Amino acid sequence: MDFGTSKLAENKQVGLHLNSQLAANGNSTASVSAPVSDVKPKKKICCACPDTKRLRDECIVEHGEDACTKWIEAHKQCLRAEGFNV
């Protein structure tokens, strides 16, 4: 499952909306916007991405950390999409 893609697209859309608002207000720096990674998280990190967190944790308990890089990276990607710098 790719939970991070929709959140990333949403964050980009917000950035485009802000750019259009700046341009409408006559701001000549409309091309400058905050990068997606600068979005402030809306949740605590412990509460973000519960699905990928659960899959990551179950995999690590059953198979060890080395065998679970796919789930670890999926969870990190989800957290980044939520605005966390991990």
Side-chain angles (χ1 to χ4, degrees):
M1 297 183 143
D2 190 9
F3 297 103
T5 303
S6 63
K7 192 54 104 172
L8 181 60
E10 180 183 321
N11 288 342
K12 285 183 181 178
Q13 192 173 25
V14 168
L16 292 174
H17 176 69
L18 291 174
N19 276 341
S20 65
Q21 284 183 330
L22 288 171
N25 291 334
N27 189 329
S28 62
T29 60
S31 63
V32 178
S33 67
V36 174
S37 62
D38 287 347
V39 175
K40 186 175 180 181
K42 297 177 183 177
K43 305 173 186 175
K44 293 181 180 180
I45 196 166
C46 62
C47 301
C49 305
D51 296 331
T52 57
K53 181 179 180 181
R54 181 180 48 79
L55 291 170
R56 177 204 65 183
D57 291 349
E58 287 177 5
C59 182
I60 291 172
V61 168
E62 293 178 18
H63 306 288
E65 190 174 335
D66 293 336
C68 300
T69 56
K70 172 184 169 183
W71 298 116
I72 293 168
E73 289 305 314
H75 186 58
K76 285 181 181 179
Q77 182 180 5
C78 180
L79 292 172
R80 287 182 191 113
E82 290 285 338
F84 293 99
N85 187 17
V86 292

